[in-house]
Structures are given as structure tokens and as C-alpha cells.
């Protein structure tokens, strides 16, 4: 496995949002051992402030607790996405109720891990999210169809972006995963259950609006008229189908 030290970039920066000081310091210590640059904050408001503080430079990943003083982790995730920041977000929470996890994903988190967790598992998730977020092209994949043209737009899978005639839109890890799942089976219906399982790691019968809200956002960028989609087509009662 490639270590972060081998990349030409500066060290990945990680924001740890955790109010249990002992746990936060343990996480910091281990991430620093892995070569990451780590900032720890103990409440939701400070997290939002740090993420908005462009002068100190962007973060590559946020490890986010849900139950926090001042502002919940859900609210931190929601505000982060609403401000146009698509930093990778990993929720780390003692709330292992599926509804809580689902809500975190609906607010825009990319991944989640429940406490108590194994350190190796956390480090593996962190590496996975950072690898998928690497922009500099050092680790380009050999996957086919890295760029897919859809009408006037181009999906750049390796750059996590959609380029339209108006703008370049940055995608989250899950948005890329969702697009990949649909594009790879172009012309076929992919069921909601398959998407929940494959893209979010949830049980296929999970009750959630998470897919719908992601589809709405993707259509805004890929469809000429998002209310009459021709590329990401709804298949009533079943799922979605991608058409070029
Ligand atoms: Ca907490």
C-alpha cells in the first residue's frame, strides 16, 4: 500500500471533531504517527469556523463526532456542504442506531464508523477516503471510462468533478460512487436496494431519502431540465437508469 509520505503533496490535513478529550488525543496521536497533519477541536461551532477559515488552508478530511457541544455533528456536516465545501467527512459516533447513521449520510457525510472502533479500521477508512480524494493524479486508476460525456457535461471520475459549460462542480465520494454504479450499468435499471448496499453500505431495505437527495443534486448538473431528466431516469418503484 502506498503511504502518504510518498506523494509529492504536503501532508494530508485532517480535522478531528471530538469532545471526549482523551479519545481525541488518542486519535490525534495515531494519525500523526501515520504522517498526517492533525487539528483537534472539541465542539461543533469551532469545527465550522475551522472549515471556513481559508487562510489556514483547506482540510482533506474531517473525522466528525455527532454528539457535540454547541452544534451537533449533523449540523456541522449540513453547513459544510451548504457552504460548497466538499471535504471528505467520516462520521465517528457512539450512535449506532441505523437511523442516526443514515441521517449523517443524508447530511452529506461520506462514510461512518461506530464507537467503539478498532484503530486499524479507522486508519483504513481514513486512507480509503484520502486515496479517493487525491486530486493531483498521482494515483490515477486504470479503470475504464474515467471521463464520461453526458450531453453538454463531462463527468471526470478520476478528478471527482463534473464539468458543465457553466462551471466545474466538485463531487463527494458518495456522489462519485452513485454515478459510477449507474454509469457502469448504462441502460439498465439499478434498484434502490442495490444502490444503498453498493454505494452506502446500508441494508437494501433501509428507509431513507439519501438516494433521492443525491439524485436531485446530480441532475442539477447533468440534465438540461432537471424536472424532466433524460440521463438519470427514475424507474418508478424500482430505482434509476443511466442513459447517455
Ligand atoms: Ca461526543
Amino acid at each position: 500500500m502506498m503511504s502518504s509520505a510518498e506523494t509529492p503533496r504536503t501532508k494530508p490535513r485532517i480535522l478531528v471533531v471530538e469532545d471526549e478529550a482523551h479519545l481525541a488525543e488518542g486519535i490525534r496521536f495515531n494519525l500523526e504517527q501515520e504522517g498526517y497533519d492533525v487539528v483537534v477541536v472539541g465542539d461543533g461551532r469551532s469545527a465550522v469556523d475551522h472549515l471556513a477559515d481559508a487562510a489556514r488552508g483547506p482540510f482533506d478530511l474531517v473525522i466528525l463526532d455527532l454528539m457535540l457541544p454547541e452544534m451537533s455533528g449533523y449540523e456541522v456536516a449540513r453547513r459544510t456542504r451548504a457552504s460548497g465545501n466538499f471535504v471528505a467527512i467520516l462520521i465517528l459516533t457512539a450512535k449506532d442506531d441505523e437511523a442516526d447513521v443514515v441521517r449523517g449520510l443524508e447530511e452529506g457525510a461520506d462514510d461512518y464508523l461506530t464507537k467503539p472502533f478498532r484503530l486499524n479500521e479507522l486508519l483504513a477508512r481514513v486512507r480509503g477516503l484520502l486515496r479517493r480524494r487525491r486530486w493531483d493524479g498521482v494515483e490515477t486508476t486504470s479503470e475504464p471510462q474515467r471521463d464520461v460525456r453526458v450531453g453538454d457535461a463531462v463527468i471526470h471520475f478520476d478528478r471527482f468533478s463534473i464539468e458543465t459549460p457553466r462551471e466545474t462542480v466538485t463531487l463527494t465520494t458518495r456522489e462519485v460512487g452513485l454515478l459510477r454504479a449507474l454509469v457502469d450499468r448504462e441502460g439498465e435499471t439499478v434498484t434502490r436496494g442495490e444502490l444503498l448496499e453498493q454505494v452506502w453500505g446500508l441494508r437494501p431495505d433501509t428507509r431513507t431519502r439519501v438516494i433521492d437527495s443525491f439524485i436531485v443534486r446530480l441532475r442539477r448538473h447533468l440534465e438540461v431540465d432537471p424536472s424532466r431528466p433524460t440521463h438519470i431516469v427514475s424507474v418508478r418503484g424500482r430505482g434509476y437508469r443511466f442513459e447517455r
Side-chain angles (χ1 to χ4, degrees):
M1 178 147 313
M2 190 167 176
S3 85
S4 55
E6 287 161 11
T7 73
R9 277 194 69 179
T10 53
K11 295 184 195 178
R13 291 186 79 216
I14 300 179
L15 179 65
V16 176
V17 190
E18 173 59 67
D19 59 324
E20 288 170 52
H22 187 72
L23 176 59
E25 286 312 311
I27 293 172
R28 178 211 290 276
F29 175 79
N30 283 288
L31 291 174
E32 285 178 350
Q33 293 291 108
E34 295 285 300
Y36 303 123
D37 197 353
V38 182
V39 175
V40 173
V41 295
D43 67 87
R45 193 161 298 279
S46 305
V48 169
D49 289 347
H50 272 74
L51 287 165
D53 187 356
R56 279 191 266 186
F59 287 93
D60 298 289
L61 173 72
V62 183
I63 296 179
L64 182 63
D65 185 20
L66 288 180
M67 289 179 285
L68 291 164
E70 306 276 330
M71 187 190 291
S72 74
Y74 299 120
E75 186 64 13
V76 173
R78 199 187 61 73
R79 289 195 189 198
T80 303
R81 294 301 184 234
S83 74
N85 186 336
F86 293 96
V87 60
I89 298 178
L90 170 66
I91 285 179
L92 186 61
T93 178
K95 295 182 141 207
D96 61 354
D97 185 343
E98 190 175 66
D100 297 317
V101 165
V102 166
R103 186 171 161 207
L105 296 171
E106 287 173 347
E107 299 292 6
D110 296 290
D111 204 357
Y112 56 88
L113 195 57
T114 54
K115 299 173 186 169
F117 59 92
R118 284 175 308 159
L119 180 63
N120 283 344
E121 177 72 23
L122 175 66
L123 296 176
R125 298 290 182 96
V126 165
R127 277 194 298 270
L129 285 167
L130 290 173
R131 193 162 48 238
R132 282 174 282 171
R133 297 292 294 196
R134 201 151 288 160
W135 311 102
D136 55 17
V138 169
E139 273 189 292
T140 49
T141 65
S142 56
E143 267 172 51
Q145 296 199 58
R146 278 170 24 209
D147 292 348
V148 173
R149 176 168 283 282
V150 183
D152 284 344
V154 180
I155 306 168
H156 298 290
F157 281 104
D158 55 344
R159 281 190 256 152
F160 281 71
S161 66
I162 294 175
E163 208 180 318
T164 76
R166 302 172 301 283
E167 57 183 343
T168 299
V169 182
T170 304
L171 302 172
T172 67
T173 312
R174 297 287 164 188
E175 286 170 335
V176 168
L178 176 55
L179 273 174
R180 187 87 257 174
L182 294 170
V183 169
D184 282 352
R185 288 173 57 190
E186 185 173 352
E188 271 179 63
T189 300
V190 186
T191 67
R192 299 176 63 85
E194 286 171 326
L195 293 172
L196 287 174
E197 219 170 2
Q198 194 181 328
V199 182
W200 282 272
L202 295 169
R203 288 205 327 266
D205 58 351
T206 307
R207 298 175 68 87
T208 170
R209 332 175 300 279
V210 68
I211 299 177
D212 314 69
S213 51
F214 275 67
I215 293 280
V216 166
R217 183 168 133 85
L218 293 175
R219 278 180 177 157
R220 256 197 323 257
H221 306 307
L222 294 176
E223 303 286 352
V224 174
D225 178 358
S227 64
R228 299 167 149 220
T230 59
H231 301 298
I232 302 180
V233 182
S234 300
V235 182
R236 208 191 160 111
R238 297 199 57 211
Y240 295 93
R241 189 180 68 239
F242 174 75
E243 303 277 358
R244 224 175 276 227

